[in-house]
Amino acid sequence: EKRISVKLEHGAHRLGKRTDKPMQAWRNYGLGQFIHWGVYAIPGGHWEGQYYPGAAEWIRSWKGMPKDAYDNLYKQFNPKKFNAKAWAKQAGDMGAKYVIITTKHHDGFCLWPSKYTDYTVANSPYKKDIIGQLVEAYDAEGIDVYLYFSIIDWNHPGYRSTLKSEQDRKEYEEFKKFTRNQLVELLTLYPSTKGLWFDGSWDKAWTEQAEFADALGKELREMIPGLIIGSRFRPDDNGNRHFDTNGDLIGDYEQGWERKMPNTIEDTNGNDWDCVMTVPENQWGYHSDWKGHVKTTNELIEMLVKAASLDGNFVLNFGPDGQGNIRSEETRLAAEIGEWMKENNEAVYGCGYLDWEKQDWGYYTVNRETGKKYMTVFNIPVSGALRVKVPGKTKLNKAYLLNDPGASLELEEIHRNEYFIHYKPASATDRPFVIGVETTDAK
Ligand code: JFZ
């Protein structure tokens, strides 16, 4: 791969990973929760008996949804069942170490009482600050809070996706001020925020704002030392997103893995990354009628462990309904993932990529601090022999079940640097299991 090197005013400001404490904490989370909540949860993917096949949080953009009706939904926003503490408790029980919450999605509706627009929860019948309650509850649960913020804002009069005239440019300046004010407001109101998760930054109008966005990023980072911002925020001088003109990552981690994942460590370019995942194919906000495949607990656990094995975080999305209920499908998944995590989280938290040849049974992870190594087994070989190939000077000394560390599993050295661990669960297992391995490095 040929590297270009041009001088950029607003390209990457750092090469390689951040090594400071807040970023180390981010890297060690393993599992996160995403929450998409807003007035789109009220229609829940339907309008006047018509089914909207797109992502529920996009319903305003559908021809079947009158804009005026959508923009008045906030007058019905009164989630009587909303309980921030219960949400935080459920996320904690699932094993989430951080949460990303939509403060404002593309529709522009603010879940906090912003003083820069009337289109907020303060003017709904509910009135109370949703973000404030969530920040308090998740903080109390020991779950780090990240604020999702959409640059796209269909409600602001100055918002444009492209700037075609002088008038557009003039109005867009007002929108930029508004965007800056809201972000400063959020970090002022919620100073325990650990980072910002930007979205809706793909408009041509925004990709022309390299200088403004760079200055804004700096201002926000000064407000909260260690603040974490991914690659979906500011464009470079030439309007490139995520990676600048020289191919260097803009921001603290790669934020491009949306409903997809890297397959190899090479795919990650050595960067930190997060994968944000929906439970059905593509629904973030509440859609009352999920169609198509709904991911299972085992699928999601596999994505989580795979993410850890490739140095990334896995973030599972929840879309509560218009009353503030978390749907039963999500509640069950959270409980089942939590049950698994309770037994096996050692193979996830603080763990990352282990430089051993990948095998078909599943994924290796290694604790970044202790060096402890784990094998999470998803595919049990009929032979009962789990292959392990170790690099040059490494010797495999011991293998044990994470939930029964006293008993060693049978190890057989079949070649130089190649072993079988002989183990087959006595009874059928319906969840992946973890084997810990101990090694020494020969001289
Ligand atoms: C965006 C939003 O439009 C969507 O509603 C949701 O909030 C999601 C988390 O983010 O959707 C995207 C963003 C990025 C990509 C695809 C969909 N992408 O990079 O491929």
Side-chain angles (χ1 to χ4, degrees):
E1 195 188 321
K2 200 162 151 277
R3 260 190 65 89
I4 10 176
S5 195
V6 299
K7 175 106 182 56
L8 298 168
E9 292 289 327
H10 308 292
H13 294 319
R14 184 200 64 254
L15 297 182
K17 291 179 178 180
R18 257 174 68 172
T19 55
D20 56 285
K21 279 257 147 36
M23 199 65 204
Q24 284 175 27
W26 184 95
R27 196 169 291 136
N28 289 336
Y29 291 145
L31 178 61
Q33 180 192 38
F34 213 139
I35 297 173
H36 274 74
W37 205 31
V39 296
Y40 41 77
I42 297 171
H46 295 266
W47 191 252
E48 295 191 330
Q50 294 275 93
Y51 173 86
Y52 171 53
E57 72 281 2
W58 276 82
I59 196 170
R60 188 183 183 278
S61 67
W62 176 43
K63 58 175 174 8
M65 181 79 223
K67 306 285 173 271
D68 187 56
Y70 188 93
D71 293 340
N72 282 294
L73 284 171
Y74 75 97
K75 294 177 182 165
Q76 298 170 45
F77 188 73
N78 197 8
K80 290 254 160 54
K81 298 286 172 60
F82 173 58
N83 181 338
K85 283 187 190 145
W87 290 15
K89 168 87 169 47
Q90 182 183 59
D93 289 347
M94 177 172 79
K97 294 289 188 190
Y98 72 124
V99 65
I100 305 165
I101 309 166
T102 51
T103 59
K104 175 179 101 169
H105 206 263
H106 309 333
D107 60 9
F109 180 70
C110 302
L111 288 180
W112 83 101
S114 177
K115 64 181 178 199
Y116 300 103
T117 172
D118 290 333
Y119 195 44
T120 83
V121 68
N123 293 313
S124 76
Y126 183 73
K127 291 199 178 71
K128 288 169 284 195
D129 178 8
I130 300 264
I131 298 301
Q133 292 178 64
L134 287 171
V135 170
E136 194 186 327
Y138 278 78
D139 277 355
E141 192 70 37
I143 298 173
D144 285 350
V145 175
Y146 289 71
L147 302 179
Y148 166 108
F149 185 94
S150 169
I151 300 293
I152 290 176
D153 186 326
W154 297 326
N155 191 257
H156 192 276
Y159 166 75
R160 299 284 188 283
S161 60
T162 51
L163 306 176
K164 296 185 195 117
S165 64
E166 267 319 297
Q167 185 61 23
D168 282 351
R169 283 175 205 287
K170 220 180 103 202
E171 295 195 30
Y172 199 72
E173 286 308 307
E174 289 306 308
F175 173 68
K176 282 157 65 180
K177 276 187 221 153
F178 167 73
T179 299
R180 181 252 168 210
N181 287 340
Q182 284 206 317
L183 286 162
V184 170
E185 182 181 50
L186 281 168
L187 296 191
T188 305
L189 287 171
Y190 316 113
S192 62
T193 300
K194 298 291 186 289
L196 295 166
W197 205 96
F198 283 98
D199 192 16
S201 52
W202 52 76
D203 285 332
K204 182 139 192 305
W206 182 255
T207 62
E208 291 166 4
Q209 310 303 324
E211 187 182 347
F212 171 78
D214 197 4
L216 176 55
K218 281 182 181 138
E219 182 181 9
L220 298 171
R221 288 178 190 281
E222 272 163 28
M223 289 184 71
I224 295 185
L227 189 75
I228 293 171
I229 301 176
S231 63
R232 208 186 277 186
F233 173 48
R234 63 180 181 90
D236 83 348
D237 310 48
N238 300 314
N240 286 313
R241 301 176 58 239
H242 297 285
F243 294 92
D244 70 14
T245 308
N246 294 320
D248 299 319
L249 182 73
I250 307 174
D252 299 323
Y253 63 95
E254 191 183 348
Q255 218 187 331
W257 301 104
E258 196 256 8
R259 294 183 295 118
K260 58 182 195 256
M261 298 184 76
N263 276 315
T264 65
I265 198 73
E266 287 72 32
D267 292 343
T268 72
N269 295 302
N271 290 312
D272 285 310
W273 57 277
D274 72 352
C275 166
V276 295
M277 189 58 67
T278 50
V279 175
E281 177 53 24
N282 182 23
Q283 293 293 341
W284 297 91
Y286 176 74
H287 198 304
S288 63
D289 189 7
W290 280 351
K291 293 229 195 299
H293 179 63
V294 175
K295 294 176 191 76
T296 64
T297 300
N298 282 333
E299 266 182 281
L300 294 169
I301 293 173
E302 179 157 359
M303 291 176 184
L304 163 66
V305 176
K306 181 176 177 180
S309 80
L310 295 172
D311 278 337
N313 285 327
F314 185 70
V315 184
L316 184 62
N317 182 69
F318 288 65
D321 74 14
Q323 286 303 314
N325 301 300
I326 295 189
R327 66 197 301 151
S328 57
E329 298 95 323
E330 292 170 352
T331 293
R332 185 179 51 75
L333 288 169
E336 291 180 358
I337 292 169
E339 246 169 72
W340 188 84
M341 281 294 275
K342 218 169 115 193
E343 302 277 313
N344 302 291
N345 68 60
E346 206 185 304
V348 174
Y349 295 147
C351 289
Y353 176 68
L354 178 66
D355 184 20
W356 290 7
E357 186 186 297
K358 165 112 176 56
Q359 302 297 332
D360 292 336
W361 42 254
Y363 305 92
Y364 293 110
T365 49
V366 57
N367 186 291
R368 296 188 179 95
E369 212 150 278
T370 64
K372 276 177 120 177
K373 299 171 181 69
Y374 306 94
M375 302 165 48
T376 306
V377 179
F378 290 86
N379 311 303
I380 304 169
V382 289
S383 63
L386 297 147
R387 191 183 303 275
V388 175
K389 289 190 191 177
V390 295
K393 289 181 172 160
T394 305
K395 277 190 89 59
L396 199 58
N397 297 326
K398 186 185 167 178
Y400 59 93
L401 290 174
L402 192 61
N403 58 23
D404 186 14
S408 290
L409 303 178
E410 187 195 333
L411 262 187
E412 184 190 0
E413 187 169 7
I414 55 170
H415 295 295
R416 201 179 138 73
N417 293 327
E418 189 165 345
Y419 301 81
F420 276 152
I421 296 171
H422 291 284
Y423 175 68
K424 210 170 172 179
S427 53
T429 55
D430 54 8
R431 291 281 178 256
F433 61 90
V434 178
I435 293 174
V437 291
E438 290 177 7
T439 57
T440 45
D441 286 316
K443 305 263 146 49

